[in-house]
Amino acid sequence: VLLAVLTILLSKYASENDIVVGTGVAGRTHAYLEHVMGMFVNMLAVRNQPQPNKTFQEFLEEVKVNALEAFENQDYQFEELVKKLKLTGKPGRNPLFDVEFTFQNITEKEIEIPGLSLKPLKRLRRNARFDLGFQAFDSNNSILMKITYAAQLFKRSTIEDIKKNFIEILEQVKSDSGIKLKDIKISYHLAAAVADSRKYDIQFDF
């Protein structure tokens, strides 16, 4: 649902009906990697086509199928995909997508070992890896979302408006899953923004 809403939002901002969003996967599909330390994350490019005359329910089903198919092919290395498609990007930019979506379904817990207490370290990311990053966390009975962004491209006020638009779409599709994508309204349309000198994370519950 969150990926579908994000895709609709990006479609309305860009006036495009072919949207690619990147998502990271753990990359531990083999049993022998379960006890190996290190980063095995692979990036997946999830492509969806939010055509205006589709209902949200129809689009949601498509997003589900596309996401499952992408995860079935998660062992295919992102670098190989870029080579296969013969894509050439600018240095420091991803050749396939500029927006990342991640859903974290692993709960961080304090671990107690006799004589030792371990707590998760709270990190504040200072550098955005993509133009926009949406991270969702399952938190008890709610979902916590965080937005990271490139301060060279967006102002904080712009990100606040993006947050509002995301919630607006979510509320509309919750009220009417049969609504056509063209009938989903947002109160703010993304425009060029002057950059802030700092980077922020914004958290909100819904």
Side-chain angles (χ1 to χ4, degrees), residues 25 27-30 42 44 70-77:
V25 289
R28 293 177 178 267
T29 55
H30 302 288
N42 188 28
L44 300 180
F71 275 84
E72 286 177 1
N73 293 283
Q74 63 179 284
D75 287 333
Y76 195 89
Q77 291 299 306

Side-chain angles (χ1 to χ4, degrees), residues 11 17-18 49-55 59 62 180-182:
S11 174
N17 300 323
D18 196 345
Q49 297 174 317
Q51 300 292 339
N53 286 319
K54 292 176 183 175
T55 66
F59 181 60
E62 290 182 11
K180 289 190 175 182
L181 304 190
K182 67 180 180 181

Side-chain angles (χ1 to χ4, degrees), residues 160-178:
E160 291 280 5
D161 287 325
I162 290 173
K163 178 190 75 172
K164 292 174 185 176
N165 286 165
F166 189 97
I167 295 174
E168 284 175 342
I169 295 175
L170 193 60
E171 289 176 340
Q172 289 174 74
V173 300
K174 179 183 176 183
S175 298
D176 180 11
S177 62

Side-chain angles (χ1 to χ4, degrees), residues 9 35 43 57 63 107 113 127 138 143 171-172 179:
L9 179 62
H35 303 291
M43 293 302 296
Q57 188 64 51
V63 171
T107 304
I113 299 175
N127 297 309
D138 195 355
I143 293 176
E171 289 176 340
Q172 289 174 74
I179 188 174

Side-chain angles (χ1 to χ4, degrees), residues 132-151:
L132 285 170
F134 293 78
Q135 293 86 38
F137 305 87
D138 195 355
S139 177
N140 297 322
N141 294 322
S142 65
I143 293 176
L144 174 70
M145 289 198 70
K146 180 186 294 184
I147 302 175
T148 57
Y149 65 95

Side-chain angles (χ1 to χ4, degrees), residues 2-202:
L2 298 177
L3 179 57
V5 170
L6 175 58
T7 304
I8 293 168
L9 179 62
L10 296 175
S11 174
K12 290 188 176 293
Y13 283 158
S15 297
E16 294 287 345
N17 300 323
D18 196 345
I19 303 293
V20 179
V21 174
T23 188
V25 289
R28 293 177 178 267
T29 55
H30 302 288
Y32 65 83
L33 293 175
E34 289 182 5
H35 303 291
V36 179
M37 295 181 64
M39 284 283 289
F40 296 90
V41 175
N42 188 28
M43 293 302 296
L44 300 180
V46 184
R47 182 184 184 185
N48 288 293
Q49 297 174 317
Q51 300 292 339
N53 286 319
K54 292 176 183 175
T55 66
F56 177 74
Q57 188 64 51
E58 290 170 342
F59 181 60
L60 180 61
E61 290 298 322
E62 290 182 11
V63 171
K64 177 182 177 180
V65 171
N66 291 338
L68 289 174
E69 289 181 348
F71 275 84
E72 286 177 1
N73 293 283
Q74 63 179 284
D75 287 333
Y76 195 89
Q77 291 299 306
F78 181 77
E79 292 77 10
E80 291 299 320
L81 176 62
V82 172
K83 289 181 182 178
K84 187 78 172 179
L85 296 176
K86 298 180 180 179
L87 298 175
T88 55
K90 296 180 181 179
R93 296 193 64 84
N94 190 289
L96 266 177
F97 50 82
D98 295 307
V99 179
E100 174 195 29
F101 173 79
T102 305
F103 188 89
Q104 299 287 358
N105 57 0
I106 300 176
T107 304
E108 293 184 342
K109 301 179 181 178
E110 294 187 14
I111 302 173
E112 294 292 340
I113 299 175
L116 184 64
S117 178
L118 305 176
K119 296 181 179 180
L121 177 64
K122 186 176 181 179
R123 296 183 299 119
L124 179 61
R125 181 184 294 171
R126 293 293 181 183
N127 297 309
R129 296 182 299 169
F130 300 92
D131 291 355
L132 285 170
F134 293 78
Q135 293 86 38
F137 305 87
D138 195 355
S139 177
N140 297 322
N141 294 322
S142 65
I143 293 176
L144 174 70
M145 289 198 70
K146 180 186 294 184
I147 302 175
T148 57
Y149 65 95
Q152 305 96 308
L153 298 175
F154 302 103
K155 295 190 295 184
R156 180 184 175 89
S157 59
T158 304
I159 302 303
E160 291 280 5
D161 287 325
I162 290 173
K163 178 190 75 172
K164 292 174 185 176
N165 286 165
F166 189 97
I167 295 174
E168 284 175 342
I169 295 175
L170 193 60
E171 289 176 340
Q172 289 174 74
V173 300
K174 179 183 176 183
S175 298
D176 180 11
S177 62
I179 188 174
K180 289 190 175 182
L181 304 190
K182 67 180 180 181
D183 294 328
I184 295 174
K185 307 298 181 185
I186 55 175
S187 59
Y188 168 82
H189 293 272
L190 190 64
V194 179
D196 282 342
S197 60
R198 296 191 297 169
K199 297 177 176 62
Y200 300 87
D201 287 342
I202 295 178

